[in-house]
Amino acid sequence: MAGSVVEFTDAGFQTDVIGSQQPVVVDFWAPWCGPCKMLGPTIEELATTYSGRAQVGKVNIDDNQQVASDFSVSSIPTVIIFKGGKVVDRFVGVTPKAKLSAALEKHL
């Protein structure tokens, strides 16, 4: 479905994110994290705004600890933008939509 937030997992991360032809925005979060819940609507808006031009998804760090460890995610929420399989931008904490959009625009 266009504009929906994808759930990324340890098992599919290599294919879905690293192997993606489009830029990918990944929100590392956990259900118990208050700031993560605050960031949720922003991530959903990005998914709608950039549908067809970028992938937007989340990684639940409780269920997918390997990916969080691989990318040294020590605080959540952490949003990482990948392009061509590489980390091109990283934000820790609740980040305004305008800041995330501006960063993503640079990589489209």
Side-chain angles (χ1 to χ4, degrees):
M1 182 171 108
S4 61
V5 176
V6 181
E7 284 289 331
F8 296 122
T9 63
D10 283 347
F13 200 84
Q14 187 69 33
T15 302
D16 299 339
V17 177
I18 304 303
S20 177
Q21 297 301 305
Q22 297 179 322
V24 186
V25 177
V26 182
D27 173 22
F28 290 85
W29 73 290
W32 46 263
C33 165
C36 298
K37 291 177 185 166
M38 291 169 53
L39 186 62
T42 300
I43 297 300
E44 290 170 18
E45 288 174 29
L46 287 174
T48 300
T49 302
Y50 292 97
S51 177
R53 297 190 292 155
Q55 278 197 73
V56 179
K58 296 172 152 254
V59 172
N60 180 331
I61 65 159
D62 288 343
D63 298 338
N64 301 281
Q65 295 176 4
Q66 186 60 52
V67 170
S69 173
D70 289 350
F71 293 97
S72 303
V73 174
S74 57
S75 297
I76 53 173
T78 291
V79 175
I80 300 178
I81 300 175
F82 293 84
K83 183 176 183 183
K86 306 269 188 263
V87 174
V88 292
D89 235 322
R90 180 183 192 110
F91 302 89
V92 178
V94 178
T95 306
K97 181 184 176 197
K99 193 170 181 180
L100 294 172
S101 290
L104 184 54
E105 287 287 340
K106 290 189 300 190
H107 303 293
L108 290 176

